[in-house]
Amino acid sequence: MAENKTNLGKELTKGIVKENPTLVMLLGMCPTLAVTTQAKNGIGMGLATTFVLLGSNIVVSLLRKVIPDKVRIPAFIVIIASFVTLIGFLLEGFLPDLYDSLGIYLTLITVNCIIFGRAEMFASKNGIVASACDAIGMGIGFTLALFLMGSVREIIGAGQWLGMSIPVLHSNPMLLFIMPAGGFFTLGIIIAAVNKLSNKKPPQELGCKGCPNAENCSKNGGDCK
């Protein structure tokens, strides 16, 4: 029982820092760069993605022994698209301003490689509780990354944060930070800071050693050693 709790705790926390889908595995770059001109947009996209990730992981885990292997990818896409449609209706009905801000990137959650990757790599091979923990952890990590990026870009590029004006910066904003180039620059700085704080060094040679999923890949019959 203690080992099971430890494993669930690991699945729940791994996506926050150690295997953060955005800052470590560099997944979901399109919404990360496109919607983070404001902190609230980062939170909205992160929570919407977490909702879809949690729902799809649970359903994929429930049906993992029923879905034929040859049609698993189309099946995953249908499941994910269903939850994306649902969250789209909810946001349009209750948070129309956020819905308009996220725009087409809300629909593109369907092909977000974070969600499809967790369905393929984890939920299709593990139980419901573990899959839910994995989804929550990855979703929290993704949300925090987007919120951090959105905060930095909004504070420096617009002189405000969550709609509150910041003295001095509000009258002298650096508009570059809310432009595409500013998104790339901010993301690079944050990734470098995370790597520095975690003492992560780049791999000396190409291969599976630097991949956070190497262990899971080898267990599932991959070529990683």
Side-chain angles (χ1 to χ4, degrees):
M1 181 67 69
E3 183 180 356
N4 185 46
K5 289 182 179 179
T6 300
N7 291 336
L8 292 179
K10 179 182 177 182
E11 302 303 338
L12 185 63
T13 58
K14 67 183 181 183
I16 298 177
V17 177
K18 185 178 180 180
E19 296 182 23
N20 187 285
T22 300
L23 304 180
V24 176
M25 293 192 285
L26 305 182
L27 301 175
M29 290 293 101
C30 287
T32 299
L33 294 168
V35 306
T36 54
T37 54
Q38 292 183 320
K40 68 175 184 179
N41 291 347
I43 296 175
M45 175 58 74
L47 293 179
T49 304
T50 301
F51 172 84
V52 176
L53 186 56
L54 179 60
S56 60
N57 260 24
I58 291 175
V59 173
V60 168
S61 179
L62 280 170
L63 301 178
R64 69 186 188 279
K65 297 181 180 179
V66 178
I67 300 175
D69 186 64
K70 292 183 179 180
V71 297
R72 72 183 190 284
I73 293 179
F76 293 168
I77 293 175
V78 170
I79 293 170
I80 294 169
S82 299
F83 283 101
V84 172
T85 301
L86 177 59
I87 192 63
F89 284 149
L90 291 173
L91 290 180
E92 187 176 15
F94 295 99
L95 297 170
D97 291 339
L98 178 60
Y99 177 82
D100 292 337
S101 296
L102 298 181
I104 191 174
Y105 294 99
L106 181 64
T107 306
L108 289 177
I109 293 177
T110 304
V111 292
N112 190 314
C113 45
I114 298 173
I115 299 175
F116 187 82
R118 300 324 296 174
E120 173 71 12
M121 291 291 295
F122 197 91
S124 62
K125 302 176 178 66
N126 292 274
I128 299 173
V129 177
S131 298
C133 289
D134 176 78
I136 293 172
M138 289 292 172
I140 291 175
F142 184 61
T143 303
L144 290 176
L146 264 63
F147 175 67
L148 178 59
M149 269 202 66
S151 295
V152 172
R153 296 180 68 186
E154 183 179 7
I155 290 171
I156 301 177
Q160 61 182 26
W161 185 65
L162 296 175
M164 298 180 291
S165 298
I166 299 175
V168 181
L169 291 178
H170 184 69
S171 56
N172 298 283
M174 296 180 63
L175 298 179
L176 173 67
F177 279 83
I178 58 175
M179 299 175 67
F184 282 101
F185 179 77
T186 303
L187 179 62
I189 293 297
I190 293 175
I191 291 175
V194 169
N195 288 337
K196 180 65 175 179
L197 292 173
S198 61
N199 293 319
K200 182 180 178 182
K201 297 180 181 180
Q204 298 300 314
E205 57 183 24
L206 295 176
C208 296
K209 292 182 179 180
C211 176
N213 286 320
E215 182 179 352
N216 291 331
C217 185
S218 61
K219 288 180 180 179
N220 294 319
D223 296 328
C224 294
K225 298 180 180 179

